[in-house]
Amino acid sequence: MNANLDCFGPRACFHHVGMAVRSIDEAVPGLTIVTDPIQRVSIGFVEFSGLTVELIEPASENSPIDESLQKGNKILHICIEVPSIANALDECKQHGFRKISEPVPATVFENRKIAWVFSPIFGLVELLEAKETTG
């Protein structure tokens, strides 16, 4: 039986897996690539057997993924989309996650905010603030 861990609050849902590559174009030729100067990475998305995968390559010297690539680490993080990053940061703290970056706009997500948290059990998680909905 599966357990339901609600670490990020109500309506949090899986968004994608982040994977490091040396070259997005070598991995998937012709893929649309967006460079995020704040994160110092270039990004492309691909559907991989029903799973959304964010391919991430270094966009500058001292990119945050350089060390992962040097170590041979490919899977970097999972991304959870949340209605409110502030609420998700408060909620996940109660489950052993610690914030490792303040929320910042992300170019590839139309400047929606992202934040990074880490758990010694679950690893690195990117929080992505959901698009505002009007109703």
Side-chain angles (χ1 to χ4, degrees):
M1 178 191 245
N2 293 341
N4 184 16
L5 294 175
D6 186 12
C7 298
F8 305 103
R11 297 191 327 268
C13 62
F14 175 80
H15 191 269
H16 68 265
V17 170
M19 183 176 173
V21 294
R22 292 248 176 243
S23 167
I24 294 171
D25 198 46
E26 285 181 21
V28 183
L31 192 64
T32 300
I33 300 172
V34 175
T35 298
D36 188 329
I38 294 171
Q39 301 294 315
R40 300 182 322 273
V41 295
S42 293
I43 298 164
F45 286 92
V46 64
E47 291 296 314
F48 190 74
S49 297
L51 180 71
T52 300
V53 177
E54 176 187 39
L55 299 176
I56 310 162
E57 72 178 21
S60 67
E61 300 235 355
N62 300 318
S63 174
I65 65 163
D66 284 336
E67 187 176 334
S68 293
L69 286 167
Q70 289 170 4
K71 291 180 179 178
N73 297 338
K74 295 292 184 187
I75 302 297
L76 300 179
H77 68 269
I78 62 167
C79 177
I80 304 294
E81 189 173 44
V82 296
S84 163
I85 283 195
N87 291 346
L89 288 169
D90 287 341
E91 185 72 28
C92 72
K93 203 181 311 181
Q94 300 171 39
H95 297 278
F97 286 84
R98 66 178 171 83
K99 178 174 64 174
I100 58 174
S101 78
E102 293 296 325
V104 295
T107 304
V108 74
F109 298 118
E110 300 154 340
N111 290 320
R112 289 189 282 157
K113 291 182 182 173
I114 62 169
W116 296 93
V117 295
F118 182 81
S119 160
I121 295 170
F122 299 106
L124 187 62
V125 175
E126 178 183 25
L127 299 176
L128 169 63
E129 196 155 64
K131 292 180 183 178
E132 289 187 22
T133 57
T134 55

